[in-house]
Amino acid sequence: MLSPLLFFALLFFYAAQGLQFNHIEEDTEFVNADSKYGSLWPLPQKVNFSSVSFKLSGSTFRIVDAKESSAGASCAVLQNAYRRYFDYIFDGAKKQWAGKRTRSGASELGELQVWITSPDSECDAYPSVSTDESYELIVDQPVAVLKAPKVWGALHGLETFSQLVYKDEFGSRNINATTISDFPRFAHRGILLDTSRHFLPIKVILANLETMAMNKINVFHWHIVDDPSFPYLSKTFPQLSQKGAYHPYTHVYTPADVKMIIEFARLRGIRVIPEFDTPGHTLSWGGGQPDLLTPCYSGSSPSGTFGPVNPILNTTYDFMTQFFKEISSVFPDAYVHLGGDEVDFTCWKSNPDIQAFMKQQGFGDDFTKLESFYIQRLLDIVGQTNKGYMIWQEVFDNGVKLKPDTIIHVWKGNQQQYQNEMAQITSAGYHTLLSTPWYLNYISYGQDWHNHYKADPQDFQGTDKQKELVIGGEACLWGEYIDATNLTPRLWPRASAVAERLWSAKDVKDLNDAYSRLSLHRCRMVERGIPAEPLFTGFCPHEYKGI
C-alpha cells in the first residue's frame, strides 16, 4: 500500500510538473485520478514504494558495475546503457558524467550498482526468444542495486530506474526508496515496420528502436521488402535493389546499414527479425531476377503483367536457396519471417504452364495446394540454414507441413475469428503470436489506445497448456500512408498500450490508472525527443521542440 505521505508527495510532484488532465470530455471513459505508481510504464510485476526520498546530483551520482557482477568494463551493452541513462536522468549532462566526482551528501543517492548474477552475462550475445529479461531493483542508501541474471534484464531495470526519478519544485532530481521485482509476461513483444511502401531513413528506424527500448519492446519485425520496392541491397543479388528499389542509391539499406541497425538494436536488448514475404507481395523482385515471377495471360497470350513467384520452375528454388543462405548469415536472429499471406491466384489460373503443372500434380483446381507446394519447398530450403521460421496464418490454414518450432503469426479476422484461430493453432501444438487487434496503421479520432490496451493474446477458449504456446504479439504499422513524416507520432504512445499488455501482469487492466501513467510516460518520451502524439488535452512541462 502507498503511504499517505508518499501519496501527497506524488500529488505535489505532479502539480510541480504542471501536468493537467482535469478537462476530460464526458464521453471518455476516464476520470481525473493520479496513479499510485506515478509514471511507471509498462507497470512492473511487483512494486513497493517508501515515503523516504533521496536526491540525485549529476556531479556525484554514478551508474557502475557491482564488484560481484559477471559483466565488467568490457561489456559494451552495459557501458553504453550507463551513459545513455545518465543522460536521460540528467537531461544530457555529459560533461558532468565525465567530470570529477565530489562526495555525495547524507540525503543523496550516490550510486546505482548493476549486478549481473549469472556467470554468463551474454554481453557479447544477441537476445533471443528464450532470453531471461527479469531484474530486481532496490533503491535505498547507501546505494541502489540492480540485479539481473543477464544484461537484458539489466537494460529494462535501468529504464525503470530512470522512470522513478522526478524533479521537485526547485528542479532538483529525487527518487523514493523503492523495491521492484519484474519480468515480462510474454517473451515476444514486437513492432512491425514496413520499409517497402515508403522508404524509412536510418535515423527514423534508430529513433524508434530507442523508443521501443523505453517501452520494453524487444522485437523489431522488419518488413523490409514488398510489392512497391526492394530496398534491401543483397550482396548475392545486387540487381534486386538496383532494379527494384525506388532509387538504387538513395533508397536502399546497404550491408553496413543493416549491420548498424542490428547492433543498435542489440545494445538495447532488441531482436531484429527480417521478413521476406513470398510467393505473393513480390512484384519488386521481378525486375532484378528474370523468370522469378509468373507471367500472366489474357486468353492465350501473355498480358505483359506478372503475378506471384513462379512455383513450377527449378530456377525459382535455386534462387531462393542462394538468397536465404545470405539472409541467414546477415541476420543473426534464430528466426526469419517468411510471410506467405494474401496470395492472389488470378495470375496462376491464367497461365497455361501452371495449369498443366496443376494437372500433372493432381491438384485439380485447388490453387491452395500449389501455394502449399511452393511454401513446403521454401520451408525446407530455409530449414537447411538452421533458421527457425515465422509465417502468417494462411500457411497453417492451408495445411502446409510445418516444423515443430514454427511460429504462426495471426493477423486476420474480427475478435471471435482470431480467438478461434489462436485456439486451433495452439491445439495443433504450435507456438503463436497475435497482431490482429494491433494494426496501428488504422486510426480514428479520439483515444483508440484503450482498445489496444484491452486486447489480450491469451483471451481464447483453450487449456492452460495451449495458452502457454502463445509467445506474445506485435503491433503492426503498415506503410501505405506512413513515412518519416508521420511514423513516430502515429506509433507512440499507441504502441505503448500494446507494450504494457505484453509485459505487465494479466490483471493490470485499470484504464483510469493506465491513462494517468501513460499521459506521464508520453510526456517523458516527448522530453527525450520523441514526438509521441497526445492522448488528450493538456500539456507537458517540456514540449516537443520539433526540428
Side-chain angles (χ1 to χ4, degrees):
M1 292 292 292
L2 195 69
S3 69
L5 180 59
L6 180 56
F7 176 76
F8 287 108
L10 287 171
L11 289 179
F12 180 79
F13 159 58
Y14 299 143
Q17 294 293 301
L19 296 176
Q20 296 183 358
F21 309 111
N22 57 349
H23 177 67
I24 298 182
E25 298 292 345
E26 292 181 359
D27 61 349
T28 68
E29 299 181 39
F30 312 110
V31 297
N32 182 21
D34 295 315
S35 171
K36 68 178 182 179
Y37 298 110
S39 65
L40 288 175
W41 196 278
L43 188 66
Q45 301 288 337
K46 294 181 181 179
V47 184
N48 287 303
F49 291 113
S50 165
S51 59
V52 178
S53 65
F54 312 113
K55 293 187 179 299
L56 286 83
S57 168
S59 62
T60 59
F61 180 76
R62 291 293 180 271
I63 307 173
V64 298
D65 298 310
K67 292 180 180 179
E68 305 90 342
S69 179
S70 63
S74 62
C75 181
V77 171
L78 290 182
Q79 299 305 318
N80 275 274
Y82 296 168
R83 290 189 289 270
R84 189 163 67 250
Y85 280 101
F86 184 90
D87 288 349
Y88 280 149
I89 293 168
F90 296 103
D91 300 335
K94 296 179 181 178
K95 291 183 179 180
Q96 291 184 347
W97 170 261
K100 184 178 180 180
R101 181 177 178 181
T102 59
R103 182 174 297 179
S104 59
S107 64
E108 288 188 14
L109 186 68
E111 281 187 351
L112 171 61
Q113 295 184 358
V114 180
W115 181 359
I116 306 302
T117 59
S118 171
D120 178 14
S121 65
E122 296 189 5
C123 277
D124 299 319
Y126 290 89
S128 71
V129 72
S130 60
T131 286
D132 188 338
E133 299 176 275
S134 64
Y135 68 92
E136 293 182 357
L137 177 62
I138 300 175
V139 179
D140 205 349
Q141 283 193 321
V143 296
V145 178
L146 169 59
K147 292 183 180 181
K150 307 290 183 181
V151 293
W152 319 117
L155 293 176
H156 297 315
L158 287 166
E159 173 62 35
T160 298
F161 181 88
S162 74
Q163 294 183 5
L164 292 171
V165 178
Y166 61 93
K167 294 179 184 178
D168 62 21
E169 71 274 24
F170 304 110
S172 298
R173 289 161 182 82
N174 297 267
I175 190 170
N176 284 73
T178 309
T179 302
I180 290 176
S181 178
D182 202 10
F183 56 87
R185 180 181 170 203
F186 293 104
H188 187 118
R189 309 176 306 281
I191 286 177
L192 178 151
L193 297 182
D194 171 7
T195 58
S196 173
R197 291 173 176 88
H198 285 96
F199 180 82
L200 298 178
I202 297 294
K203 66 177 183 180
V204 173
I205 295 176
L206 299 184
N208 279 278
L209 287 170
E210 187 76 33
T211 316
M212 287 166 62
M214 297 176 195
N215 290 270
K216 298 184 174 68
I217 294 286
N218 69 344
V219 176
F220 170 34
H221 177 169
W222 192 355
H223 189 85
I224 191 167
V225 302
D226 208 295
D227 280 332
S229 73
F230 196 104
Y232 172 76
L233 203 168
S234 167
K235 293 181 181 179
T236 311
F237 301 100
Q239 67 274 19
L240 289 170
S241 59
Q242 188 75 23
K243 300 291 186 180
Y246 286 131
H247 190 283
Y249 305 118
T250 61
H251 285 59
V252 295
Y253 301 106
T254 67
D257 293 334
V258 173
K259 185 176 181 180
M260 177 175 64
I261 288 170
I262 292 171
E263 179 62 10
F264 190 94
R266 185 187 80 87
L267 292 174
R268 287 152 183 80
I270 297 170
R271 303 163 58 199
V272 178
I273 299 179
E275 180 182 354
F276 291 90
D277 189 1
T278 66
H281 295 282
T282 50
L283 292 182
S284 65
W285 303 49
Q289 187 62 24
D291 300 325
L292 180 65
L293 302 184
T294 303
C296 305
Y297 276 69
S298 178
S300 59
S301 302
S303 65
T305 60
F306 295 87
V309 166
N310 193 331
I312 70 173
L313 299 179
N314 288 333
T315 54
T316 292
Y317 302 102
D318 293 338
F319 165 79
M320 292 296 175
T321 298
Q322 294 181 66
F323 182 75
F324 280 101
K325 181 179 180 181
E326 174 187 328
I327 297 306
S328 68
S329 65
V330 170
F331 292 91
D333 197 83
Y335 282 84
V336 60
H337 203 302
L338 299 178
D341 65 316
E342 295 184 317
V343 182
D344 186 348
F345 297 146
T346 305
C347 185
W348 281 353
K349 290 178 180 179
S350 74
N351 185 292
D353 294 330
I354 297 286
Q355 294 169 6
F357 183 83
M358 292 279 289
K359 184 176 181 180
Q360 176 188 346
Q361 295 293 323
F363 292 163
D365 295 326
D366 188 353
F367 282 85
T368 63
K369 292 183 178 178
L370 180 61
E371 179 187 6
S372 297
F373 173 86
Y374 166 80
I375 292 288
Q376 193 67 67
R377 291 196 62 176
L378 179 66
L379 298 186
D380 292 341
I381 287 169
V382 174
Q384 292 174 6
T385 68
N386 294 319
K387 289 283 190 186
Y389 43 74
M390 299 169 59
I391 44 90
W392 295 110
Q393 68 181 74
E394 287 96 322
V395 179
F396 169 80
D397 294 341
N398 292 339
V400 175
K401 183 180 179 182
L402 302 170
K403 290 196 303 182
D405 64 345
T406 301
I407 297 174
I408 300 169
H409 198 164
V410 175
W411 71 279
K412 297 177 69 176
N414 57 33
Q415 183 176 5
Q416 182 176 355
Q417 289 169 331
Y418 78 68
Q419 289 174 339
N420 290 341
E421 184 79 10
M422 299 285 281
Q424 292 172 17
I425 291 169
T426 54
S427 178
Y430 292 108
H431 287 95
T432 185
L433 60 95
L434 179 65
S435 281
T436 308
W438 297 320
Y439 267 45
L440 303 188
N441 45 293
Y442 296 134
I443 58 175
S444 61
Y445 189 78
Q447 301 191 54
D448 59 354
W449 68 270
H450 62 268
N451 293 322
H452 308 316
Y453 191 78
K454 292 176 182 177
D456 192 304
Q458 288 184 331
D459 186 13
F460 62 89
Q461 294 296 318
T463 65
D464 290 342
K465 186 176 181 181
Q466 282 180 256
K467 295 186 178 183
E468 289 174 1
L469 293 173
V470 180
I471 63 170
E474 289 183 358
C476 300
L477 197 65
W478 297 100
E480 287 87 350
Y481 301 98
I482 292 167
D483 65 5
T485 65
N486 64 342
L487 181 146
T488 304
R490 185 164 296 188
L491 188 59
W492 308 104
R494 295 161 75 232
S496 301
V498 184
E500 177 152 296
R501 178 54 53 234
L502 296 175
W503 178 281
S504 302
K506 187 174 183 177
D507 60 359
V508 176
K509 295 180 178 179
D510 188 331
L511 283 169
N512 290 310
D513 184 80
Y515 178 80
S516 175
R517 289 183 293 109
L518 186 55
S519 298
L520 296 168
H521 180 56
R522 178 258 168 178
C523 283
R524 176 168 48 237
M525 289 190 283
V526 168
E527 184 174 4
R528 292 181 181 183
I530 304 301
E533 69 178 17
L535 275 74
F536 197 58
T537 57
F539 68 95
C540 295
H542 302 273
E543 295 289 2
Y544 183 66
K545 300 300 191 296
I547 41 179

